[in-house]
Amino acid sequence: MAVRRRDVLKLAAGMLAAPAIARADETRVLRFVPQANLSSLDAVAGTQYVVRNAAAMVWETLYGVDSTFTPQPQMCEGHESSADLKTWTFRLRPGLKFHDGEAVTTRDVLASLQRWMVRDTMGQVIRGRLDALEAIDDRSFRFRLNKPFAKMLFALGKSNAPMALIMPERIARTDPFQLIKEYVGSGPMQFRTDEWVPGSRAVFELFAGYQPRAEKSDWLAGGKHMMFDRIEWQILPDAATAGGALQNGEVDWWELPIPDLVPLLKRNKDVVVDIADPLGNIGSLRMNHLHPPFNDPRVRRALLMAVSQPDYMEAVCGGDDTLWKPTASFFTPGTPLYTEDGGELLKGPRNYDAAKKLLAEAGYNGEKVVLMVATDIAITKAEGDVTADMLGKIGMNVDYQALDWGTVGARRSKKDPPDKGGWNIFHTWHAGADCINPAPYTALDAGGAKAWFGWPSSQAVEDAIGTWYDAADAAAEKAAAATINRAAFEDVVYVPTGFFQQYQAWRRNVSGVVKAPFPVFWGVRKT
Amino acid sequence: MWRYAGRRALATVPVMGFVALFVFSLLYLAPGDPAAIIAGDQASAEDIARIHASLGLDRPFLVRFGEWLWHVLQGDLGTSIFANLSVAHMIGQRIEPTLSLMVLTLVFSVVVAVPLGVLAAARAGSWVDRLVMLFAVLGFSVPVFVMGYVLAFVFALQLDWLPVQGYTPISHGVWPWLRNLILPVVALGAIYIALIARVTRAAMLEVLGQDYVRTARAKGLGLAPILFVHALKNAAVPIVTVIGLGVALLIGGAVVTESVFAIPGVGRLVVDAILRRDYPVIQGVTLLFSFVYVLVNLIVDLLYSVLDPRIRQ
């Protein structure tokens, strides 16, 4: 067969002009760059924030906290509680549907709550007090407890992972320690498994069967009105690439720009930069309480004397002083339980001589201190470098181990001595939303072997947390928080390295972006 | 020829077996745990231990290796620990961008580098030669990611000619596909062009000094037929060798290039998998890369025998 030049040209022209996939109205598609790769979608089995953020579009909770941390009805019409707070009865609002068209019933709710209660700290408290969790009919169910539980609505509506997400019964029956394999929820967006390219792209499509509440949207509360047919998450691990894509209009919203690029983004007239989460984060220097030298509270207190929060925060925030402030508290600044009771050692000029003296009193004699530093994460790298310098100043023998977060994440769970694969110190940070009260605050738990990594043991802290759980009003909660803070500094559960916030950035044609501990997609528009 | 090809193909089997064992052992010994990443920052050590056990990662090395090998022999590369998608499916999703990037880079590099190398050899010592060699030194010296950022800054952010990142499948049109690949191909191709141009120049210089070239000149043959018909064919063996060896360079470079330009290819897949310790994905992709590398070497071996039949003996 003869191939004519004209035919080749026609073919080439056709290919060049071939229409791209039929594109939806650009204003109905939001391109979002999340803080990290979305590698799974189970916000009950896992506690990664990025997973929680995606799951909050796909699944819903019975209640949802608003920006004042008050739980408001979401999937529920409302509730009744007995005067002794031992019986809690809930009724689902009518018309709730899953993405597969099935109605949401109490069978789904009970199975979901049973799974959640295994994994969540507050869920475990409820489970420990539970006589029965029972369905009354398809829309009503009841908790019967053997001890009052005042924080029930907050537990069901909190944004902290693991969230009490409601899934179809067949999915909720999954072992709580295994990831779910089907992503069917009842939230405003449905997950497009067929378009999911892990590490590159995740697509959420408007769920036509979703009926938003009538109230105004406020974080997880109120009507979740979606202004997009599609929300495309584009995973851009390279910050420079993400910055370029935002400036070039290839993406609409970048959840977590690095501080180094913020001045550049602020100069671009098409880009808006603002604080992402008003609750910010609390930096953390975490010590292993099981092994010398940090099994001695005097050594831990010596670190409190030497830690200079401004040094840490300047390293973390890249010189942007508006992003941070020192905090002599374990609780999030600006929230109701914030207190500086007992935090005196963190304030004022740093006293290296006193710290050295305390170390000597404790019998520290130059033993190696294994400092695990996740160098692939800018925040932990900055904190680790400051700590290495500070430990050197007070005469400690630092073994600085540069690792990736994957290694730190696994090795920190080892209880072995540092010279046998264990560790002495690692750094992380806690989302301010997790530090507003003791319930979601796993890092503050001081229950010894069952506590978070480092395994601090302090009966005073544990007793005060128990008091907070049983507190009947705001004043009692605040008093309990002051006791917790004092006891946590006395035993040095961990060392807060300061309070810092981060920016988010979006194109100027996007509106309705709110400040929250997670990206709130409902109410956001694009013109 | 076929017997030679068959013998060479058979020799790749133990290589692949060794790679499989090596990769599995390396991951077994490497620190890190996918259970810790699934569990997230709020999870306790007990939670992580429960997830670790539920993934079957607490079983002995030989049991896990045997099970994985048995599945691989049946064509099953396993399932991602995180995404619950089959590794073959995930590679399938990512193979087109990587193949596009590698093939285009290879074609672009050879088309640019071979004539440059020939030209430099033909004009050895002149300013043309020096210019080509200067470019080669630059191509070698500038890291791929630096080249990528500079190109993106100039051609995407400043001139707004091309996109900063992303990939468009070829099924959506040739130009949209090409538009996304121009900058990555140039960035990745720079080092490859430098390598091939230098080797081509050196091989051509050697051949151009041979008697038969002098004879061709003496009988009045033009410069182009001498260079491209007589000399280049005889200089081809080292050039083909370096192109083959360069595929390893290309695989490594593709990983970086895909990250800089956010191309959803196999390179980024493996980087993400390493960071998360998604063992089945790391093993599957490494095995694939090894297979490609062994295959390219096999093709190069076979090409030797085509270019120089004496090698077969």
Side-chain angles (χ1 to χ4, degrees), chain A residues 14 19 44 69 71 118 128 146 159 169 176 179-180 190 194 231 264 277 307 342 357 363 375 378 387 391 399 446:
Chain A
V44 176
F69 318 114
V118 176
N146 50 40
S159 64
E169 186 186 13
L179 296 175
I180 56 170
Q190 45 191 333
D194 57 330
I231 295 178
L264 184 72
D277 174 6
V307 159
K357 201 173 152 203
T375 54
T387 294
L391 294 176
D399 178 10

PDB file of all heavy atoms in Angstrom, chain A residues 14 19 44 69 71 118 128 146 159 169 176 179-180 190 194 231 264 277 307 342 357 363 375 378 387 391 399 446:
ATOM      1  N   GLY A  14      -4.542  15.730  12.389  1.00  0.00           N
ATOM      2  CA  GLY A  14      -5.629  15.193  13.214  1.00  0.00           C
ATOM      3  C   GLY A  14      -5.170  14.901  14.618  1.00  0.00           C
ATOM      4  O   GLY A  14      -5.855  15.210  15.595  1.00  0.00           O
ATOM      5  N   PRO A  19      -8.906  16.523  20.270  1.00  0.00           N
ATOM      6  CA  PRO A  19      -9.337  17.205  21.492  1.00  0.00           C
ATOM      7  C   PRO A  19      -8.879  16.431  22.716  1.00  0.00           C
ATOM      8  O   PRO A  19      -8.860  15.216  22.706  1.00  0.00           O
ATOM      9  CB  PRO A  19     -10.864  17.195  21.385  1.00  0.00           C
ATOM     10  CG  PRO A  19     -11.185  16.078  20.461  1.00  0.00           C
ATOM     11  CD  PRO A  19     -10.022  15.922  19.540  1.00  0.00           C
ATOM     12  N   VAL A  44      -9.646   5.526  60.115  1.00  0.00           N
ATOM     13  CA  VAL A  44      -9.909   4.870  61.401  1.00  0.00           C
ATOM     14  C   VAL A  44      -8.722   3.983  61.751  1.00  0.00           C
ATOM     15  O   VAL A  44      -8.189   4.041  62.860  1.00  0.00           O
ATOM     16  CB  VAL A  44     -11.212   4.050  61.351  1.00  0.00           C
ATOM     17  CG1 VAL A  44     -11.435   3.300  62.666  1.00  0.00           C
ATOM     18  CG2 VAL A  44     -12.400   4.970  61.074  1.00  0.00           C
ATOM     19  N   PHE A  69     -15.043  24.605  68.720  1.00  0.00           N
ATOM     20  CA  PHE A  69     -14.853  23.239  69.254  1.00  0.00           C
ATOM     21  C   PHE A  69     -16.140  22.678  69.863  1.00  0.00           C
ATOM     22  O   PHE A  69     -16.115  21.773  70.675  1.00  0.00           O
ATOM     23  CB  PHE A  69     -13.724  23.172  70.301  1.00  0.00           C
ATOM     24  CG  PHE A  69     -12.518  23.964  69.927  1.00  0.00           C
ATOM     25  CD1 PHE A  69     -12.138  25.079  70.647  1.00  0.00           C
ATOM     26  CD2 PHE A  69     -11.771  23.608  68.815  1.00  0.00           C
ATOM     27  CE1 PHE A  69     -11.041  25.831  70.272  1.00  0.00           C
ATOM     28  CE2 PHE A  69     -10.677  24.340  68.440  1.00  0.00           C
ATOM     29  CZ  PHE A  69     -10.308  25.459  69.163  1.00  0.00           C
ATOM     30  N   PRO A  71     -19.428  20.531  69.466  1.00  0.00           N
ATOM     31  CA  PRO A  71     -19.999  19.538  68.558  1.00  0.00           C
ATOM     32  C   PRO A  71     -21.437  19.877  68.179  1.00  0.00           C
ATOM     33  O   PRO A  71     -22.238  20.204  69.062  1.00  0.00           O
ATOM     34  CB  PRO A  71     -19.927  18.238  69.368  1.00  0.00           C
ATOM     35  CG  PRO A  71     -19.626  18.610  70.765  1.00  0.00           C
ATOM     36  CD  PRO A  71     -19.203  20.028  70.825  1.00  0.00           C
ATOM     37  N   VAL A 118     -12.219   0.687  68.998  1.00  0.00           N
ATOM     38  CA  VAL A 118     -11.008  -0.110  69.243  1.00  0.00           C
ATOM     39  C   VAL A 118      -9.768   0.756  69.064  1.00  0.00           C
ATOM     40  O   VAL A 118      -8.788   0.618  69.787  1.00  0.00           O
ATOM     41  CB  VAL A 118     -10.958  -1.321  68.279  1.00  0.00           C
ATOM     42  CG1 VAL A 118      -9.664  -2.097  68.457  1.00  0.00           C
ATOM     43  CG2 VAL A 118     -12.153  -2.229  68.507  1.00  0.00           C
ATOM     44  N   GLY A 128     -14.679   1.213  77.549  1.00  0.00           N
ATOM     45  CA  GLY A 128     -14.437   0.761  78.915  1.00  0.00           C
ATOM     46  C   GLY A 128     -15.636   0.988  79.835  1.00  0.00           C
ATOM     47  O   GLY A 128     -15.739   0.365  80.886  1.00  0.00           O
ATOM     48  N   ASN A 146     -21.900   2.380  82.059  1.00  0.00           N
ATOM     49  CA  ASN A 146     -21.945   2.106  83.499  1.00  0.00           C
ATOM     50  C   ASN A 146     -21.292   3.231  84.309  1.00  0.00           C
ATOM     51  O   ASN A 146     -21.170   3.155  85.519  1.00  0.00           O
ATOM     52  CB  ASN A 146     -21.294   0.764  83.822  1.00  0.00           C
ATOM     53  CG  ASN A 146     -19.935   0.661  83.179  1.00  0.00           C
ATOM     54  OD1 ASN A 146     -19.194   1.642  83.170  1.00  0.00           O
ATOM     55  ND2 ASN A 146     -19.610  -0.496  82.627  1.00  0.00           N
ATOM     56  N   SER A 159     -12.454  16.294  65.074  1.00  0.00           N
ATOM     57  CA  SER A 159     -11.766  16.190  63.773  1.00  0.00           C
ATOM     58  C   SER A 159     -10.470  15.405  63.899  1.00  0.00           C
ATOM     59  O   SER A 159      -9.834  15.082  62.895  1.00  0.00           O
ATOM     60  CB  SER A 159     -11.458  17.588  63.234  1.00  0.00           C
ATOM     61  OG  SER A 159     -10.557  18.256  64.104  1.00  0.00           O
ATOM     62  N   GLU A 169     -21.989  -1.176  56.785  1.00  0.00           N
ATOM     63  CA  GLU A 169     -21.680  -2.251  57.729  1.00  0.00           C
ATOM     64  C   GLU A 169     -20.631  -3.218  57.181  1.00  0.00           C
ATOM     65  O   GLU A 169     -19.696  -3.598  57.887  1.00  0.00           O
ATOM     66  CB  GLU A 169     -22.961  -3.009  58.059  1.00  0.00           C
ATOM     67  CG  GLU A 169     -22.771  -4.052  59.138  1.00  0.00           C
ATOM     68  CD  GLU A 169     -24.027  -4.906  59.345  1.00  0.00           C
ATOM     69  OE1 GLU A 169     -24.947  -4.863  58.495  1.00  0.00           O
ATOM     70  OE2 GLU A 169     -24.066  -5.618  60.357  1.00  0.00           O
ATOM     71  N   PRO A 176     -10.051  -3.665  62.717  1.00  0.00           N
ATOM     72  CA  PRO A 176      -9.604  -2.273  62.936  1.00  0.00           C
ATOM     73  C   PRO A 176      -8.110  -2.077  62.707  1.00  0.00           C
ATOM     74  O   PRO A 176      -7.652  -0.936  62.591  1.00  0.00           O
ATOM     75  CB  PRO A 176      -9.948  -2.012  64.403  1.00  0.00           C
ATOM     76  CG  PRO A 176     -10.858  -3.105  64.823  1.00  0.00           C
ATOM     77  CD  PRO A 176     -10.643  -4.260  63.931  1.00  0.00           C
ATOM     78  N   LEU A 179      -6.395  -2.090  56.799  1.00  0.00           N
ATOM     79  CA  LEU A 179      -6.988  -1.005  56.015  1.00  0.00           C
ATOM     80  C   LEU A 179      -8.219  -1.504  55.280  1.00  0.00           C
ATOM     81  O   LEU A 179      -8.232  -2.636  54.792  1.00  0.00           O
ATOM     82  CB  LEU A 179      -5.967  -0.482  54.994  1.00  0.00           C
ATOM     83  CG  LEU A 179      -4.712   0.174  55.571  1.00  0.00           C
ATOM     84  CD1 LEU A 179      -3.737   0.522  54.459  1.00  0.00           C
ATOM     85  CD2 LEU A 179      -5.071   1.425  56.357  1.00  0.00           C
ATOM     86  N   ILE A 180      -9.229  -0.643  55.174  1.00  0.00           N
ATOM     87  CA  ILE A 180     -10.423  -1.006  54.413  1.00  0.00           C
ATOM     88  C   ILE A 180     -10.061  -1.098  52.928  1.00  0.00           C
ATOM     89  O   ILE A 180      -9.095  -0.482  52.477  1.00  0.00           O
ATOM     90  CB  ILE A 180     -11.577   0.003  54.619  1.00  0.00           C
ATOM     91  CG1 ILE A 180     -11.116   1.430  54.265  1.00  0.00           C
ATOM     92  CG2 ILE A 180     -12.095  -0.069  56.041  1.00  0.00           C
ATOM     93  CD1 ILE A 180     -12.236   2.427  54.205  1.00  0.00           C
ATOM     94  N   GLN A 190     -17.598  11.593  46.422  1.00  0.00           N
ATOM     95  CA  GLN A 190     -17.284  10.168  46.375  1.00  0.00           C
ATOM     96  C   GLN A 190     -15.911   9.959  45.747  1.00  0.00           C
ATOM     97  O   GLN A 190     -15.499  10.721  44.870  1.00  0.00           O
ATOM     98  CB  GLN A 190     -18.355   9.367  45.646  1.00  0.00           C
ATOM     99  CG  GLN A 190     -18.843   9.948  44.351  1.00  0.00           C
ATOM    100  CD  GLN A 190     -20.082   9.213  43.850  1.00  0.00           C
ATOM    101  OE1 GLN A 190     -20.270   8.046  44.153  1.00  0.00           O
ATOM    102  NE2 GLN A 190     -20.904   9.899  43.076  1.00  0.00           N
ATOM    103  N   ASP A 194     -11.217   4.298  40.368  1.00  0.00           N
ATOM    104  CA  ASP A 194     -10.700   4.006  39.022  1.00  0.00           C
ATOM    105  C   ASP A 194      -9.734   5.084  38.531  1.00  0.00           C
ATOM    106  O   ASP A 194      -8.949   4.840  37.622  1.00  0.00           O
ATOM    107  CB  ASP A 194     -11.858   3.840  38.021  1.00  0.00           C
ATOM    108  CG  ASP A 194     -12.769   5.065  37.977  1.00  0.00           C
ATOM    109  OD1 ASP A 194     -12.897   5.755  39.014  1.00  0.00           O
ATOM    110  OD2 ASP A 194     -13.335   5.345  36.905  1.00  0.00           O
ATOM    111  N   ILE A 231     -12.953  17.347  42.569  1.00  0.00           N
ATOM    112  CA  ILE A 231     -11.793  17.891  43.275  1.00  0.00           C
ATOM    113  C   ILE A 231     -10.647  16.940  42.974  1.00  0.00           C
ATOM    114  O   ILE A 231     -10.723  15.746  43.278  1.00  0.00           O
ATOM    115  CB  ILE A 231     -12.050  18.003  44.796  1.00  0.00           C
ATOM    116  CG1 ILE A 231     -13.169  19.019  45.050  1.00  0.00           C
ATOM    117  CG2 ILE A 231     -10.772  18.412  45.519  1.00  0.00           C
ATOM    118  CD1 ILE A 231     -13.553  19.189  46.500  1.00  0.00           C
ATOM    119  N   LEU A 264       8.087  34.551  47.825  1.00  0.00           N
ATOM    120  CA  LEU A 264       7.907  34.538  46.368  1.00  0.00           C
ATOM    121  C   LEU A 264       6.415  34.499  46.022  1.00  0.00           C
ATOM    122  O   LEU A 264       5.941  35.238  45.155  1.00  0.00           O
ATOM    123  CB  LEU A 264       8.624  33.301  45.794  1.00  0.00           C
ATOM    124  CG  LEU A 264       8.641  33.147  44.289  1.00  0.00           C
ATOM    125  CD1 LEU A 264       9.582  34.161  43.682  1.00  0.00           C
ATOM    126  CD2 LEU A 264       9.083  31.735  43.905  1.00  0.00           C
ATOM    127  N   ASP A 277      -3.970  27.025  59.475  1.00  0.00           N
ATOM    128  CA  ASP A 277      -4.658  26.470  60.634  1.00  0.00           C
ATOM    129  C   ASP A 277      -4.412  27.390  61.831  1.00  0.00           C
ATOM    130  O   ASP A 277      -3.284  27.501  62.302  1.00  0.00           O
ATOM    131  CB  ASP A 277      -4.087  25.063  60.899  1.00  0.00           C
ATOM    132  CG  ASP A 277      -4.630  24.441  62.161  1.00  0.00           C
ATOM    133  OD1 ASP A 277      -5.525  25.041  62.784  1.00  0.00           O
ATOM    134  OD2 ASP A 277      -4.157  23.350  62.525  1.00  0.00           O
ATOM    135  N   VAL A 307      16.552  24.355  76.881  1.00  0.00           N
ATOM    136  CA  VAL A 307      15.857  24.521  75.590  1.00  0.00           C
ATOM    137  C   VAL A 307      15.470  25.987  75.379  1.00  0.00           C
ATOM    138  O   VAL A 307      14.803  26.578  76.218  1.00  0.00           O
ATOM    139  CB  VAL A 307      14.590  23.625  75.546  1.00  0.00           C
ATOM    140  CG1 VAL A 307      13.596  24.133  74.517  1.00  0.00           C
ATOM    141  CG2 VAL A 307      14.989  22.191  75.218  1.00  0.00           C
ATOM    142  N   GLY A 342       3.100  25.921  85.898  1.00  0.00           N
ATOM    143  CA  GLY A 342       4.188  24.943  86.008  1.00  0.00           C
ATOM    144  C   GLY A 342       5.234  25.058  84.919  1.00  0.00           C
ATOM    145  O   GLY A 342       6.199  24.293  84.894  1.00  0.00           O
ATOM    146  N   LYS A 357      24.774  21.548  86.177  1.00  0.00           N
ATOM    147  CA  LYS A 357      24.837  21.170  87.592  1.00  0.00           C
ATOM    148  C   LYS A 357      23.817  20.059  87.882  1.00  0.00           C
ATOM    149  O   LYS A 357      24.125  19.072  88.569  1.00  0.00           O
ATOM    150  CB  LYS A 357      24.528  22.414  88.439  1.00  0.00           C
ATOM    151  CG  LYS A 357      25.035  22.328  89.845  1.00  0.00           C
ATOM    152  CD  LYS A 357      24.836  23.658  90.557  1.00  0.00           C
ATOM    153  CE  LYS A 357      24.673  23.373  92.045  1.00  0.00           C
ATOM    154  NZ  LYS A 357      23.973  24.398  92.749  1.00  0.00           N
ATOM    155  N   GLY A 363      24.116  12.314  88.095  1.00  0.00           N
ATOM    156  CA  GLY A 363      25.145  11.299  87.850  1.00  0.00           C
ATOM    157  C   GLY A 363      25.442  11.081  86.374  1.00  0.00           C
ATOM    158  O   GLY A 363      26.027  10.061  85.995  1.00  0.00           O
ATOM    159  N   THR A 375      15.894  13.558  58.634  1.00  0.00           N
ATOM    160  CA  THR A 375      16.432  14.678  57.850  1.00  0.00           C
ATOM    161  C   THR A 375      15.635  14.942  56.574  1.00  0.00           C
ATOM    162  O   THR A 375      15.886  15.922  55.888  1.00  0.00           O
ATOM    163  CB  THR A 375      17.905  14.401  57.481  1.00  0.00           C
ATOM    164  OG1 THR A 375      17.962  13.136  56.835  1.00  0.00           O
ATOM    165  CG2 THR A 375      18.797  14.388  58.702  1.00  0.00           C
ATOM    166  N   ALA A 378      11.696  18.901  56.800  1.00  0.00           N
ATOM    167  CA  ALA A 378      12.380  20.154  57.157  1.00  0.00           C
ATOM    168  C   ALA A 378      12.218  20.486  58.639  1.00  0.00           C
ATOM    169  O   ALA A 378      13.183  20.919  59.289  1.00  0.00           O
ATOM    170  CB  ALA A 378      11.833  21.286  56.287  1.00  0.00           C
ATOM    171  N   THR A 387      18.710  20.886  68.718  1.00  0.00           N
ATOM    172  CA  THR A 387      18.884  20.033  69.900  1.00  0.00           C
ATOM    173  C   THR A 387      20.327  19.547  70.027  1.00  0.00           C
ATOM    174  O   THR A 387      20.896  19.550  71.127  1.00  0.00           O
ATOM    175  CB  THR A 387      17.930  18.818  69.830  1.00  0.00           C
ATOM    176  OG1 THR A 387      16.593  19.309  69.923  1.00  0.00           O
ATOM    177  CG2 THR A 387      18.174  17.851  70.969  1.00  0.00           C
ATOM    178  N   LEU A 391      22.411  20.256  73.349  1.00  0.00           N
ATOM    179  CA  LEU A 391      22.952  19.172  74.187  1.00  0.00           C
ATOM    180  C   LEU A 391      24.469  19.320  74.342  1.00  0.00           C
ATOM    181  O   LEU A 391      25.027  19.076  75.413  1.00  0.00           O
ATOM    182  CB  LEU A 391      22.620  17.797  73.580  1.00  0.00           C
ATOM    183  CG  LEU A 391      21.131  17.413  73.555  1.00  0.00           C
ATOM    184  CD1 LEU A 391      20.933  16.083  72.840  1.00  0.00           C
ATOM    185  CD2 LEU A 391      20.555  17.323  74.963  1.00  0.00           C
ATOM    186  N   ASP A 399      25.002  11.444  69.951  1.00  0.00           N
ATOM    187  CA  ASP A 399      25.182  10.565  68.788  1.00  0.00           C
ATOM    188  C   ASP A 399      24.071  10.940  67.794  1.00  0.00           C
ATOM    189  O   ASP A 399      22.949  10.431  67.878  1.00  0.00           O
ATOM    190  CB  ASP A 399      25.067   9.103  69.234  1.00  0.00           C
ATOM    191  CG  ASP A 399      25.185   8.136  68.062  1.00  0.00           C
ATOM    192  OD1 ASP A 399      25.535   8.583  66.951  1.00  0.00           O
ATOM    193  OD2 ASP A 399      24.914   6.937  68.249  1.00  0.00           O
ATOM    194  N   ALA A 446       0.589   9.831  80.025  1.00  0.00           N
ATOM    195  CA  ALA A 446       1.778   9.435  80.795  1.00  0.00           C
ATOM    196  C   ALA A 446       1.513   8.111  81.512  1.00  0.00           C
ATOM    197  O   ALA A 446       1.831   7.939  82.687  1.00  0.00           O
ATOM    198  CB  ALA A 446       2.147  10.538  81.775  1.00  0.00           C
TER     199      ALA A 446
END
